[in-house]
Amino acid sequence: MCGIVGYIGHNEAYPILIKGLKRLEYRGYDSAGVALINNDGGLNVYKAKGKVADLESYCEDKDKTGSAGIAHTRWATHGEPNSANAHPHYSASGRLALIHNGIIENYMTLKENLVERGIVFKSVTDTEVLVQLIEHIMLSNNIELLEAVQVALHQVIGAYAIAILDRNHPDTIVCARQSSPLVVGLGKEGDYYLGSDASPIAEYTDRVIYLNDGDIAVMRLGEELKVVNMDNETQHPKVKQIDITLGQLEKGGYPYFMIKEIFEQPACMRDCMRGRINVDADRITLSAVIDYRERLVTARRIIIVACGTSWHAGLIGKQLIESMCRIPVEVEYASEFRYRDPVIMPDDVVIAISQSGETADTLAAIELARQAGAFVFGVCNAIGASIPRQTQTGVYIHVGPEIGVASTKAFTGQVTVLSMLALSIAREKKTIDDETYKHMVAELTLIPDKMEEALKTNEQIERLASIFTYAKNCLYLGRGYNYPVALEGALKLKEISYIHAEGYPAAEMKHGPIALIDSEMPVFVIATRDKLYEKIISNIQEVRARGGRVTALVTRGDTQIQQFADHVIELPDTQECFQPLIASIPLQLLAYHIAVCKGKDVDRPRNLAKSVTVE
Ligand code: M6R
């Protein structure tokens, strides 16, 4: 959701900024812009509605020289996506240009004050208020940019990551962060890079600084990075080494990131388990469980907070933890949890699950849990993001950058981590016997191979997909561990093909959704062999009896369901609790191929953002 790129150094800024914007395209946006200080000291701003490619076309005949610049992709919140509302925004005199991620909550009050002082606004955004306010403070107090930013931010309520160029200081970018991520890259020869995450920076340097809330950084070419807070107190954020390869940021021969990421899952699961499951595949070691053993083992209750796909992983986590550890688990939408005055007790453990580690609702839920004295544990993918920094401990899923907006490998990574976590706590609590524990750990290590088997259904699913292209609605049914898989399958289809889809617990269908069933309604049933197998067969019969068209995911060798399903997709067998790791793969493939058949932009679906940093 919105992307920031900045560069100040010895090279031409424009190509670096455009490439950086392209690396951030996955976050979701609807307009883009760039500001450059040219070699004559002029500050040029170019903006365009649409994609970064549209911005490039617009810039074709413009002056793009200069080695200092900032650039932005905007996901509209205040004001429609058009070039006037796109960032960067000029200040009234044209001396400053500013880009912003986040939302300024008190922008109306600030704007009224500025309008009364004669400042004319050119957009309807909350962002423009910031640049006008900063310049107004600068000029009326005759102070420099950093001080004006400090004064201005004292007046601002909201979330922001901002970067500002000042025509009078072409060697400097000033940036600041509050509840919205910002990463500074330390280049060679005193060059600086800026990004809302590390992806636009990674190909230039592996040394980065993740700014903390309240930090204001001054990137001045050839000088050491200066980081202060609003009260001008020096801050000392640590330099971190990042480990992102270019291959991880590129499509590697696949037409879309999503399909690349679906196919990466076996390797990702191996990475996720590497160093955590020993070579004999009989023991899991998670340092967070060793370090906080007492806190986890004595938890009276676990509350999982998350959004979207991560929430679906949480539903699987609940079943894993309750069955193995005998600890009651509640799974909450972070967006509801934060506003409904929940009962949180000091002996609760709150597990926050997030791919990006920047989801605003999940961050707010964490804050609430911390204030109530609960112990907060993070399950996150993005290294160094806000959630791992705001939780007491946690486990990274280590599946590499996920670029496709529709989450795939992060989901299976989250479920893998939750499986390891449940097994580890269960062993410490002695709620699982040794033999079962070892058997399950061994089975978990076989999952990557079984995922490879599941991926072999790709061609069959590609053929099937064309049948469903014209569907208006689809129903996904599952039970037990496969119920969240049904929810996740439906979400994938909705997100990228724009076909309405519902995930339902199969037995609940007769309490309402069964009224929707007719021959026009494709029904996808996850019917792998487990303790509810016979029950789900009855549910399939209920669909068939009403003319519904059934596609069933079955365990390889199943001959029973073949007799009455329209299509069957065979999957390798595994233990019931690990079935979601296998069964989610064909549903990801199905959503992908249907969306491709419909000609949709799979990696950048309309209206969606990869990282939802506003509530
Ligand atoms: O980064 P997070 O895991 O916190 O994101 C949560 C949701 O926004 C995310 O899972 C969303 O539902 C995805 N688009 C799902 O594909």
Side-chain angles (χ1 to χ4, degrees):
M1 184 168 275
C2 295
I4 281 182
V5 189
Y7 173 71
I8 188 146
H10 297 87
N11 300 305
E12 283 296 305
Y14 180 79
I16 295 171
L17 297 173
I18 291 291
K19 202 170 194 186
L21 289 184
K22 287 185 177 166
R23 295 248 186 262
L24 291 175
E25 281 192 305
Y26 74 93
R27 295 167 74 94
Y29 70 103
D30 36 47
S31 55
V34 58
L36 296 159
I37 301 185
N38 70 15
N39 299 336
D40 302 325
L43 176 57
N44 294 318
V45 171
Y46 308 123
K47 313 195 274 190
K49 180 182 170 179
K51 300 292 181 198
V52 176
D54 298 308
L55 175 66
E56 278 183 288
S57 310
Y58 177 74
C59 289
E60 241 164 42
D61 56 351
K62 307 280 187 302
D63 171 14
K64 300 185 283 288
T65 59
S67 52
I70 53 177
H72 190 261
T73 45
R74 172 176 185 252
W75 189 84
T77 57
H78 296 65
E80 62 175 285
N82 59 26
S83 73
N85 289 333
H87 308 194
H89 290 285
Y90 271 126
S91 59
S93 77
R95 174 176 161 180
L96 306 180
L98 176 144
I99 53 179
H100 164 228
N101 287 359
I103 287 181
I104 306 304
E105 285 170 15
N106 60 337
Y107 85 102
M108 282 304 283
T109 322
L110 296 170
K111 187 170 179 174
E112 277 161 21
N113 285 337
L114 292 163
V115 169
E116 271 171 29
R117 285 167 171 73
I119 292 169
V120 178
F121 281 75
K122 296 177 203 74
S123 77
V124 296
T125 61
D126 54 335
T127 299
E128 194 185 348
V129 168
L130 286 174
V131 73
Q132 304 298 9
L133 178 66
I134 292 167
E135 185 177 74
H136 175 70
I137 292 169
M138 256 173 102
L139 299 181
S140 43
N141 297 288
N142 198 20
I143 55 177
E144 288 297 330
L145 179 59
L146 171 62
E147 201 182 336
V149 169
Q150 288 168 322
V151 175
L153 293 182
H154 271 293
Q155 300 177 28
V156 165
I157 301 170
Y160 51 80
I162 54 172
I164 313 157
L165 275 183
D166 178 353
R167 191 175 61 194
N168 292 6
H169 294 283
D171 60 346
T172 306
I173 296 175
V174 174
C175 58
R177 141 176 196 153
Q178 180 64 47
S179 306
S180 191
L182 211 45
V183 189
V184 176
L186 309 176
K188 297 184 189 98
E189 301 172 31
D191 294 18
Y192 284 108
Y193 300 84
L194 185 68
S196 34
D197 63 39
S199 53
I201 297 174
E203 69 183 281
Y204 306 106
T205 177
D206 58 358
R207 294 174 64 236
V208 301
I209 288 176
Y210 292 94
L211 295 184
N212 292 312
D213 278 349
D215 284 354
I216 304 171
V218 180
M219 302 154 61
R220 182 164 295 135
L221 184 59
E223 287 185 13
E224 206 171 306
L225 185 75
K226 174 175 174 173
V227 185
V228 292
N229 63 12
M230 279 187 244
D231 299 319
N232 209 31
E233 293 158 341
T234 301
Q235 307 297 300
H236 301 284
K238 290 200 177 73
V239 178
K240 296 251 164 75
Q241 200 85 17
I242 48 167
D243 184 22
I244 298 176
T245 61
L246 263 190
Q248 289 173 321
L249 298 172
E250 285 168 1
K251 289 184 203 146
Y254 288 93
Y256 290 99
F257 280 108
M258 183 180 176
I259 190 73
K260 174 182 175 236
E261 287 160 4
I262 291 173
F263 272 88
E264 276 173 358
Q265 289 176 105
C268 290
M269 294 316 104
R270 291 187 184 105
D271 288 345
C272 179
M273 292 188 276
R274 182 165 300 124
R276 292 164 169 171
I277 300 187
N278 63 356
V279 280
D280 297 329
D282 64 358
R283 173 118 214 169
I284 297 171
T285 310
L286 295 176
S287 53
V289 176
I290 297 172
D291 295 347
Y292 294 93
R293 182 189 176 281
E294 275 317 297
R295 202 64 186 78
L296 295 166
V297 164
T298 58
R300 293 261 299 275
R301 176 177 66 154
I302 288 176
I303 304 171
I304 295 178
V305 291
C307 302
T309 288
S310 300
W311 185 80
H312 296 156
L315 292 178
I316 297 166
K318 171 184 168 77
Q319 297 187 50
L320 288 162
I321 295 168
E322 287 188 339
S323 69
M324 292 186 205
C325 315
R326 310 311 299 161
I327 302 172
V329 181
E330 289 167 21
V331 188
E332 299 264 4
Y333 284 117
S335 53
E336 288 295 311
F337 182 76
R338 64 183 288 192
Y339 285 120
R340 68 167 180 74
D341 194 17
V343 178
I344 310 169
M345 289 169 290
D347 51 8
D348 284 338
V349 168
V350 172
I351 300 180
I353 308 175
S354 173
Q355 185 286 130
S356 63
E358 299 294 350
T359 301
D361 286 322
T362 311
L363 277 163
I366 289 171
E367 184 52 30
L368 190 68
R370 288 184 66 128
Q371 280 168 12
F375 180 76
V376 189
F377 189 103
V379 174
C380 190
N381 188 34
I383 313 287
S386 301
I387 288 178
R389 290 187 293 138
Q390 287 177 26
T391 44
Q392 275 119 313
T393 188
V395 181
Y396 278 116
I397 63 174
H398 287 314
V399 299
E402 189 181 65
I403 312 281
V405 164
S407 187
T408 53
K409 62 177 182 173
F411 174 71
T412 43
Q414 289 162 344
V415 175
T416 304
V417 160
L418 291 166
S419 304
M420 291 193 287
L421 183 63
L423 281 162
S424 304
I425 298 175
R427 189 184 169 94
E428 295 300 327
K429 274 181 78 96
K430 303 201 182 342
T431 46
I432 190 169
D433 63 71
D434 254 24
E435 200 185 327
T436 312
Y437 170 84
K438 285 184 182 163
H439 182 60
M440 294 184 85
V441 177
E443 180 62 20
L444 193 54
T445 62
L446 297 179
I447 294 294
D449 294 348
K450 295 188 177 186
M451 283 178 153
E452 272 161 12
E453 288 297 306
L455 284 165
K456 290 184 183 154
T457 60
N458 184 43
E459 281 178 21
Q460 180 197 2
I461 291 170
E462 189 174 1
R463 285 193 300 274
L464 277 180
S466 58
I467 305 173
F468 303 116
T469 310
Y470 299 101
K472 297 264 179 298
N473 299 286
C474 291
L475 195 58
Y476 288 70
L477 301 175
R479 301 187 70 152
Y481 281 99
N482 284 330
Y483 161 51
V485 177
L487 293 176
E488 177 58 10
L491 179 65
K492 289 287 87 81
L493 188 70
K494 275 185 268 208
E495 283 187 298
I496 58 171
S497 74
Y498 318 144
I499 295 174
H500 171 249
E502 293 276 352
Y504 240 80
E508 269 295 301
M509 184 186 58
K510 58 185 170 296
H511 299 290
I514 201 163
L516 298 169
I517 306 267
D518 62 17
S519 60
E520 304 284 294
M521 169 76 99
V523 183
F524 302 104
V525 188
I526 305 123
T528 47
R529 238 176 225 292
D530 56 30
K531 63 174 183 290
L532 293 170
Y533 177 72
E534 296 300 337
K535 305 267 176 209
I536 204 136
I537 287 184
S538 307
N539 301 136
I540 294 175
Q541 298 287 23
E542 289 159 11
V543 175
R544 292 292 296 157
R546 284 148 189 94
R549 321 294 291 170
V550 172
T551 300
L553 307 190
V554 302
T555 305
R556 183 171 300 138
D558 186 311
T559 48
Q560 215 176 331
I561 294 178
Q562 259 173 7
Q563 295 167 30
F564 42 81
D566 296 275
H567 310 283
V568 293
I569 297 166
E570 293 192 55
L571 297 173
D573 195 13
T574 183
Q575 285 179 20
E576 189 176 340
C577 63
F578 302 138
Q579 195 62 59
L581 292 166
I582 306 296
S584 53
I585 288 178
L587 298 183
Q588 295 167 350
L589 290 168
L590 187 71
Y592 170 79
H593 287 298
I594 292 176
V596 170
C597 279
K598 288 178 72 102
K600 303 298 177 203
D601 186 347
V602 173
D603 285 337
R604 290 169 296 180
R606 69 183 182 203
N607 306 338
L608 287 179
K610 181 69 183 162
S611 161
V612 184
T613 51
V614 296
E615 64 171 286

